[in-house]
Each structure stands twice: as structure tokens, then as C-alpha cells.
């Protein structure tokens, strides 16, 4: 080898070594002042726009965007501790319209760069409803949250939080900073007041994580906004990706990052605020004022906080092409339902027009709509929000391509009928949805109106429960097959008729009737040609007593069903629709029975020997009497 070659070889070796230590070593440092040409990994709506801004989200509903440093960093040391590190970045959030906000964004350190199973909206593109809170997330996130989500106990709609493995922050505080001299706290609005700089520091010895924010250009305040002691060695995996995540829901905002620096075992390089790309001008709000005059809506002061859940009447009008009959997909007890496509986002929605009497508790109802809108589960029809006009309420739901289940069950033109495996899946889906409402969300939600027409099927044939809560506001009034109690005849638990008080067990009753309906392919109450009522439960009980339970299965299945599953469905249907509430299982047990994890208890004839009359005319006055007679002797055997 000649000496020049040797030198070249040596140089090459040196460069290789250097680049390796700068990407993998424990003194990793980097700095982006603007992102033009930056080698970042991105997904979803994230992109680098020509001005050099990293744009995480834009005017698109329910999107998420992530952006990472391309290679994972080594936070774990050989002795099992996580190194100290320091991060700084500058961000800006612009609202798409006046006072409308997206869900915010987060800086994160996570073991993966694959967030395909994370949810947008309040989950910020970081977690989903099953892994929230799980230690196996190995996640640290600093959230900049611009919407208040009660289920994550958010303090307000403008806060910064330190999140460890969960979206319930370990610590959070209204966005702002403390004055170095006076110690006085100054509020900062995360949205629309210009770029904000953030500093995040972790010290391996004290295990303190500090988060500090200030308007761009201001020196770093001494006192951090948040300071949490938590040994991150117990959180991180050895290698972690670092980056940003952001999401929008039914309202949107632009989330931008202007600069980003990082130092491991070192302070993050200082960001020169004079050399950064500029945020775009915020959109003009004059247009919005004109629109409000043209399309009169009712907006009261107390609604301001529900901004994100409020739809503009004009948008809904345009989405449904002026509520034309071409777009009508159904008429229910509450009013007409239209299909629509929202402008800009192109999101398909179902808009339900409900007329209401302004004397009824609209304020409480809207609070409930907003709260229900926060529910997110694969077996629940998502409620995006609402719009209010005089005596009219418009509710905006996720559009379900395959319509309501009753159409599949009872439209005899629709061929072929749902097969048994589809039906059994629908049953399990609805059981999961109901379990979520009863036990898995922040507060107990009682559906009050479980029935086939409130089960909607999405385009991949998942069943979702829709339409809850409504029965409280709206009097079904003139509608024939509904009562003014709450719910629908045939699905109403007897004790509900008696006491008027809906409970999770009265939902279980409705679920039981629904189960029978799906298995037997028959409505809960049929009126035959002589005008007398044929009650599905009674008929199934009768066949069961005769030993011909399976004869009640839908004949359109032509005997093609799994016998074990069919027996579970029918017997569970009877157990759930037991007239005595305490004899009914709860939804968690229902799922265990359906999954075959727990064997269904033997049903005894005695359980159903109370001679309950489902006669529509007589039920109101007689049901409760019938129960009290038999309740005492049946109590023990009912529960086992
Ligand atoms: N999110 C949706 N996506 C697609 N279609 C829907 C959606 N919501 C409702 N529909 C259609 O509109 C019809 C009427 O729905 P709605 O919920 O108002 O009434 P219902 O459930 O039949 O009766 P009730 O109002 O008494 O509960 C449904 O049967 C269904 O076909
Ligand atoms: C970007 O970074 C990744 C990971 O370090 C590397 O594999 C890739 O070659 C880089 N791409 C460019 C264009 O520099
Ligand atoms: C982390 O790295 C250290 C040393 O490199 C090793 O001893 C340890 O087993 C690793 N831990 C995991 C969970 O991979
Ligand atoms: C772990 O190792 C790092 C460097 O390898 C060292 O600086 C640190 O003090 C060690 N920590 C403990 C708790 O031993
Ligand atoms: C991300 O994970 C999902 C499963 O959660 C998988 O289907 C997908 O292929 C993964 N994507 C990449 C790019 O690895
Ligand atoms: C939630 O995310 C985890 C992985 O992080 C995934 O295994 C799980 O399937 C996801 N759950 C849902 C409901 O998407
Ligand atoms: C998220 O996880 C935290 C921590 O386990 C838990 O307290 C909280 O209830 C969860 N929130 C939701 C909405 O699942
Ligand atoms: C900051 O904002 C919060 C929430 O809006 C408010 O409660 C608080 O009084 C404000 N503080 C100051 C100093 O303005
Ligand atoms: C966090 O802030 C406290 C209080 O100002 C300070 O004593 C500590 O050194 C800071 N720690 C880090 C890691 O910046
Ligand atoms: C943090 O946890 C690691 C691993 O459990 C442990 O080795 C280390 O001593 C802890 N650090 C402190 C400061 O307690
Ligand atoms: C469900 O909807 C999808 C997409 O619109 C369609 O292809 C499919 O045929 C529908 N299935 C049934 C059973 O109607």
C-alpha cells in the first residue's frame, strides 16, 4: 500500500468513525434551524413545506402526523441507567378558523417509529384506547394540549403536560412562564400568539425532568413551568426514537415546528431565533362573521368552550346538498338522517336533524353531546359534534356505509342474508361497545336504547352502537313504536317501566332482546293478522321449555350455524332479558360467555316461570306486580 493510499484509508476510517459516534454515541447532538433538506422520517400529514417549516397537521379532520429523527438514539447505558439529555424546539399553532383548534401536539421519546395503531383526536397520535396507561408503552411525551378532554383529566384547553405511558399527565399546568425577578406567572396562548420556544431537560442523577416555555426571542426563564421527579431508566428502552406527533379531530389547526435541537449528556445547541422560517399569516376572520349572518345559528356564551364540537350550519348545509331528499338515508324517532360529505376534509358524515323544544335542558344536553363526542371506541359510532338553530339541533356522526342492522335483518330483498359468523361477530361487537360505555370509560354511560336499528355497520362490517343519550332530551312523542318512558317497546326492561330509572342492567335487558333478534331474525314484538302480539322472548322461552330451542333460529340461515354458539346466543339472550335485574349478567360477564371463556350458567326453568306478560297494553301496570310475587323465591336461584 502506498503512503497516499494509507492516508486516504486512514481518513476514511476516521470519517466513518466520527459519523458513527455522532449518530449512536452518548454525546449525540443535532440542530435544525428550519428543516429545508433535513433528513427526518415522516408519516401521516407531516411534511416539510417550502418555507422550511415542519408542518405536522393541516386543515384535515382526524389526521395525525409524526416526524422523527431518522435513527433511534441510545438512551440506555450499560449499567442500566438512562443518560441525561436536553431538548429545545420552537413551535407555532395556527387555528384554521377563528377560535377553532386542533387537539395539539407532543414531543415524544418512544421505542418505536411505527404509530400505525395510534388514534388521532385526543390521543394525539401517540396511543389508543387499549394501550393508554400501559407500562409497555415506554413512552415519555410532553404534550401541548389545546382541547380539554375530561377522560384524561385535562385541566384546561391550553396546557402543557408531562406524560409517562399515558395521556393522563403526571403533571400539567396552564401554558405560561414565571418572571425571573418577580416570580409572577404570565399566561401564554399556545394558539395564535406567535412562535413559542420550549426547553426540556432530564438529569440522570436527580431524575428531574424540567419543561420550560417562553415566547420566541425571550431568554430562557429560570423557573421551569413543570418539574417532575421520575427515574426514566424505568421507562425507556435502550434505544428510542425522538420526534413530534400531532393530531386533529373534527376541528383542525396547523401545527408547525420551526427549529429543533438535541444534546445527549450535553445542553441542546442554542437556537438562533433570528434565523428561523416565519409562520404563515393567520387566516382572516371577517369571512366568518359574514357567514354567521347569512346562516343564522343559535350560539350562546356558554357554548364558547364547545367551539371544537360546533359545526357551522353552512358547512352542514353544503355537505348534505341543502338537506335534499337524495341525501336522506333514514328517518328515525328523532328526525331525519342525511348523508353528507364535509367541505375541505371530505369526511363522510351522517347528519341527524332533531327538533327540540327550547324549554328542555338544551344546555345540559349539549354538555352531554360534547362529552359523548369524546368517546372513541371501534364499536361506538363516533359523534363528531353539533350545530344549533332555532328549535333545531343537528348532530354530526361518522357515516356508516352499511347502514343499520335492522335493514340487514329485515330487508328480505337483501340477499344473501347475514351469515351466522357475521351475526355472531356483530353480537360480540355490540357487547364490547356496551361494556366500554358501562365500565371502561371515565364515567358510566347508559345507552338507554339498545336495539337493532341503533346498531350500525361500517364498511368493513364492524358493528357499532349509535344514538345514545338522545332519549333523555327528546320526547319520542308521536312515534308509534316508542314510548314516552325512554327507549323502545319490546326492549324496555320491566323495572324501567316501573321505576323510570335506566341502569346498566336495563341496557343488558335491551341487549338480551337484541341478541334474540339477531339469532332468530325476528322483531321483538310482531303483530299478526288478528291483531294480537307475538312476543319474541316468550316464544323462545316456550321453545326452550319444549326442548326445541334451536327451532327458533332464523330459518334464512338454513341450518348453517355453529350449534354451540347458537345455544350460547339464545340462552344468553334469555338470561340478559330476564325480568329480574339481579339475575342478569353484567356486560363483562356477557363478553366472557360469548368468548367462551366462562361457561354459561345452567338456566333453570324456575328462572322463567314467573309468567311474565309482555302484552303491550298491560305491561305498564302488571309487570312489577308479577315480579314482586316471584322475586323472593327466585332470588337465589336466579343469581347462581
Ligand atoms: N351514522 C349513520 N350512518 C349511516 N346511516 C345512519 C347513521 N345514523 C342513522 N342512520 C340511518 O338513519 C336511520 C334512522 O336513524 P335514527 O337513529 O334516527 O332512527 P332509529 O334508530 O331508526 O330510531 P330511533 O330514533 O327511535 O332510535 C337508521 O335506521 C339508519 O339507516
Ligand atoms: C437519513 O438518515 C438515515 C438514518 O440515519 C440514513 O439511513 C439515511 O441514509 C439518511 N438519508 C439521507 C438522504 O441522508
Ligand atoms: C441495554 O443495553 C445494555 C448494555 O448495552 C445491556 O446490558 C442491556 O441488557 C440492554 N437492555 C435491554 C432491555 O436490551
Ligand atoms: C452509569 O454509566 C455512566 C457512563 O457509562 C456513568 O456516567 C454513570 O455514573 C453510571 N451510573 C451509575 C448509577 O452507576
Ligand atoms: C407498523 O405496524 C403495523 C402493525 O401494528 C404493521 O402492520 C405495519 O406493517 C408496520 N409498518 C411498518 C412500516 O413497519
Ligand atoms: C393499540 O396499540 C397497540 C400497540 O401499541 C396495538 O397492539 C393494539 O392493537 C392497538 N389497539 C387498537 C384498538 O387499535
Ligand atoms: C389512561 O391511563 C391512565 C393511567 O393508567 C388511567 O388513569 C386513565 O384512566 C386512562 N384514561 C383513559 C381514557 O383510558
Ligand atoms: C391564566 O389562565 C388561566 C386559565 O384561563 C386563568 O385561570 C388564570 O387566572 C390566568 N392567569 C393570569 C395571570 O392571567
Ligand atoms: C430543574 O429545575 C430546578 C429548579 O429550577 C433546578 O434546580 C434543576 O437543576 C433543574 N434540572 C434540570 C435537569 O434542568
Ligand atoms: C434509576 O433506575 C435505575 C434502574 O432501575 C437505577 O440503576 C438507578 O440507580 C436509578 N437512579 C436513581 C438516581 O435512583
Ligand atoms: C358493506 O359495505 C361495503 C362498502 O360499501 C360493500 O362493499 C359491502 O358489499 C357491504 N356489505 C354488505 C353485507 O352490505
Amino acid at each position: 500500500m502506498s503512503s497516499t493510499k494509507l492516508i486516504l484509508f486512514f481518513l476514511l476510517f476516521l470519517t466513518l468513525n466520527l459519523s458513527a459516534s455522532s449518530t449512536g454515541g452518548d454525546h449525540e447532538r443535532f440542530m435544525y434551524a428550519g428543516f429545508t433538506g433535513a433528513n427526518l422520517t415522516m408519516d401521516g400529514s407531516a411534511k416539510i413545506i417550502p418555507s422550511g417549516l415542519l408542518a405536522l397537521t393541516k386543515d384535515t379532520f382526524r389526521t395525525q402526523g409524526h416526524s422523527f429523527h431518522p435513527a433511534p438514539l441510545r438512551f440506555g447505558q450499560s449499567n442500566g441507567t438512562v443518560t441525561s439529555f436536553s431538548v429545545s424546539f420552537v413551535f407555532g399553532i395556527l387555528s384554521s378558523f377563528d377560535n377553532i383548534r386542533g387537539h395539539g401536539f407532543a414531543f415524544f421519546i418512544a421505542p418505536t417509529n411505527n404509530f400505525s395503531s395510534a388514534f388521532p383526536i385526543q390521543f394525539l397520535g401517540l396511543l389508543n384506547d387499549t394501550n393508554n396507561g400501559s407500562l409497555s408503552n415506554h413512552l415519555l411525551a410532553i404534550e401541548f394540549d389545546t382541547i380539554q378532554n375530561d377522560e384524561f383529566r385535562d385541566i384546561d384547553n391550553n396546557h402543557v403536560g408531562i406524560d409517562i405511558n399515558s395521556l393522563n399527565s403526571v403533571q400539567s399546568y396552564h401554558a405560561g412562564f414565571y418572571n425571573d425577578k418577580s416570580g409572577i406567572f404570565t399566561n401564554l396562548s399556545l394558539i395564535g400568539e406567535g412562535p413559542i420556544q420550549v426547553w426540556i431537560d432530564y438529569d440522570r442523577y436527580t431524575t428531574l425532568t424540567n419543561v420550560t416555555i417562553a415566547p420566541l426571542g425571550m431568554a430562557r426563564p429560570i423557573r421551569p413551568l413543570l418539574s417532575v421527579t421520575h427515574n426514566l431508566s424505568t421507562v425507556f428502552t435502550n434505544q428510542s426514537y425522538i420526534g413530534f406527533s400531532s393530531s386533529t379531530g373534527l376541528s383542525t389547526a396547523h401545527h408547525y415546528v420551526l427549529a429543533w435541537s438535541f444534546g445527549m449528556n450535553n445542553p441542546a445547541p442554542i437556537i438562533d431565533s433570528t434565523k428561523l422560517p416565519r409562520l404563515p399569516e393567520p387566516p382572516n376572520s371577517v369571512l366568518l362573521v359574514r357567514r354567521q349572518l347569512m346562516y343564522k345559528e343559535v350560539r350562546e356564551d356558554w357554548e364558547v368552550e364547545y367551539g371544537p364540537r360546533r359545526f357551522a350550519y353552512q358547512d352542514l348545509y353544503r355537505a348534505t346538498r341543502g338537506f335534499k331528499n337524495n341525501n336522506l338515508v333514514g328517518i328515525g324517532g328523532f328526525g331525519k338522517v342525511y348523508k353528507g360529505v364535509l367541505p375541505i376534509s371530505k369526511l363522510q358524515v351522517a347528519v341527524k336533524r332533531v327538533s327540540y323544544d327550547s324549554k328542555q335542558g338544551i344546555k345540559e344536553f349539549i354538555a352531554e353531546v360534547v362529552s359523548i363526542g369524546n368517546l372513541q371506541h371501534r364499536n361506538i359510532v363516533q359523534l363528531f359534534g353539533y350545530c344549533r338553530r332555532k328549535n333545531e339541533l343537528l348532530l354530526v356522526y361518522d357515516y356508516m356505509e352499511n347502514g343499520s342492522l335492522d335493514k340487514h335483518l329485515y330487508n328480505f330483498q337483501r340477499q344473501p342474508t347475514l351469515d351466522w359468523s357475521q351475526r355472531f361477530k356483530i353480537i360480540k361487537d355490540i357487547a364490547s361497545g356496551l361494556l366500554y360505555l358501562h365500565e371502561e370509560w371515565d364515567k358510566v354511560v347508559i345507552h338507554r336504547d339498545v336495539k337493532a336499528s341503533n346498531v350500525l355497520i361500517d364498511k368493513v362490517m364492524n358493528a357499532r352502537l349509535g344514538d345514545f343519550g338522545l332519549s333523555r332530551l327528546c320526547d319520542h312523542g308521536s312515534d308509534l313504536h316508542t314510548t314516552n318512558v325512554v327507549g323502545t317497546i319490546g326492549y324496555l326492561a320491566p323495572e324501567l317501566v316501573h321505576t323510570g330509572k335506566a341502569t346498566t342492567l336495563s341496557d343488558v335487558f335491551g341487549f338480551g332482546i337484541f341478541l334474540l333478534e339477531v339469532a332468530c331474525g325476528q322483531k321483538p314484538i310482531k303483530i299478526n293478522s288478528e291483531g294480537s302480539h307475538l312476543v319474541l322472548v316468550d316464544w323462545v322461552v316456550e321453545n326452550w321449555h319444549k326442548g326445541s330451542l334451536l327451532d327458533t333460529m332464523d330459518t334464512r340461515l338454513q341450518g348453517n350455524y355453529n350449534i354451540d354458539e347458537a345455544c350460547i346466543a339464545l340462552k344468553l339472550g334469555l338470561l340478559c332479558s330476564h325480568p329480574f335485574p339481579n339475575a342478569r349478567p353484567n356486560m363483562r360477564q356477557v363478553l366472557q360467555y360469548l368468548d367462551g371463556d366462562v361457561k354459561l350458567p345452567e338456566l333453570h326453568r324456575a328462572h322463567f316461570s314467573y309468567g311474565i306478560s309482555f302484552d303491550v297494553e298491560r305491561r305498564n301496570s302488571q309487570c312489577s306486580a308479577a315480579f314482586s310475587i316471584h322475586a323472593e323465591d327466585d332470588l337465589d336461584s336466579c343469581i347462581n
Side-chain angles (χ1 to χ4, degrees), residues 424 428 568 588-601:
F424 201 57
K428 285 185 176 177
I568 289 176
R588 190 169 295 282
Q589 293 168 314
V590 165
L591 263 169
Q592 289 168 340
Y593 296 141
L594 288 171
D595 288 337
D597 294 342
V598 174
K599 231 173 111 13
L600 203 63

Side-chain angles (χ1 to χ4, degrees), residues 525-538:
I525 296 177
K526 269 201 298 200
I527 302 178
N528 64 16
S529 47
E530 294 103 64
S532 63
H533 296 106
L534 209 81
V535 178
L536 180 59
V537 197
D538 289 352

Side-chain angles (χ1 to χ4, degrees), residues 401-403 408 414 416-418 422 457-461:
E401 311 242 356
N402 278 313
H408 291 267
R414 211 186 261 249
T417 172
L418 294 171
Q422 285 173 317
I457 315 283
D458 69 16
K459 63 169 175 270
V460 293
M461 296 304 285

Side-chain angles (χ1 to χ4, degrees), residues 605-640:
R605 234 163 228 258
H607 293 181
F608 294 91
S609 64
Y610 34 71
I612 174 183
S613 165
F614 276 84
D615 186 293
V616 177
E617 276 79 31
R618 288 192 298 144
R619 57 182 299 149
N620 285 4
S621 54
Q622 298 202 336
C623 280
S624 49
F627 301 134
S628 52
I629 294 169
H630 293 272
E632 274 160 33
D633 20 293
D634 273 351
L635 184 59
D636 292 334
S637 58
C638 284
I639 293 169
N640 67 35

Side-chain angles (χ1 to χ4, degrees), residues 17-247:
N17 222 14
L18 264 178
S19 71
S21 78
S22 76
T23 55
D26 52 7
H27 291 282
E28 168 84 35
R29 269 161 78 92
F30 63 74
M31 157 90 167
Y32 303 100
F35 293 89
T36 307
N39 181 10
L40 296 183
T41 309
M42 282 174 279
D43 68 29
S45 53
K47 65 174 188 180
I48 294 167
I49 61 176
S51 66
L53 292 171
L54 167 60
L56 294 167
T57 59
K58 50 184 175 143
D59 270 331
T60 312
F61 290 80
R62 302 176 92 196
T63 51
Q64 43 183 312
H66 302 97
S67 175
F68 316 85
H69 186 61
L73 301 179
R74 210 174 166 79
F75 285 89
Q77 297 298 296
S78 52
N79 54 18
T81 64
V82 153
T83 60
S84 301
F85 60 87
S86 158
V87 182
S88 186
F89 57 88
V90 178
F91 72 91
I93 306 178
L94 291 185
S95 88
S96 319
F97 293 114
D98 240 15
N99 204 21
I100 297 268
R101 24 186 73 216
H103 279 260
F105 83 108
F107 167 80
F108 66 80
I109 302 183
T112 177
N113 60 357
N114 183 343
F115 283 83
S116 62
S117 51
F119 287 168
I121 321 187
Q122 74 271 35
F123 291 90
L124 298 178
L126 288 171
L127 296 176
N128 61 35
D129 66 343
T130 50
N131 66 4
N132 165 54
S134 157
L135 294 181
S136 60
N137 292 329
H138 302 291
L139 172 78
L140 171 77
I142 312 300
E143 62 170 51
F144 297 83
D145 198 341
T146 50
I147 287 187
Q148 181 168 16
N149 293 108
D150 294 340
E151 75 268 43
F152 295 132
R153 311 207 188 291
D154 285 350
I155 51 168
D156 61 20
N157 63 1
N158 188 68
H159 63 271
V160 183
I162 298 180
D163 299 350
I164 295 175
N165 293 328
S166 157
L167 287 158
N168 288 50
S169 303
V170 178
Q171 193 182 86
S172 64
Y173 205 75
H174 189 78
F177 58 89
Y178 295 93
N179 184 288
D180 286 350
K181 291 206 186 80
S182 65
I184 290 172
F185 182 75
T186 304
N187 276 341
L188 265 183
S189 170
L190 295 172
I191 298 187
E193 283 187 2
I196 292 175
Q197 182 161 7
V198 181
W199 296 266
I200 301 164
D201 293 275
Y202 174 71
D203 180 75
R204 68 137 65 93
Y205 299 105
T206 56
T207 70
L208 260 182
T209 303
N210 288 344
V211 177
T212 312
I213 72 171
L216 178 63
M218 190 174 130
R220 173 183 181 156
I222 296 169
R223 178 169 170 196
L225 176 65
L226 302 174
S227 190
V228 159
T229 305
H230 193 114
N231 189 345
L232 294 181
S233 310
T234 62
V235 177
F236 290 176
T237 51
N238 274 352
Q239 302 239 12
S240 292
Y241 287 88
I242 70 174
F244 301 94
S245 174
S246 174
S247 72

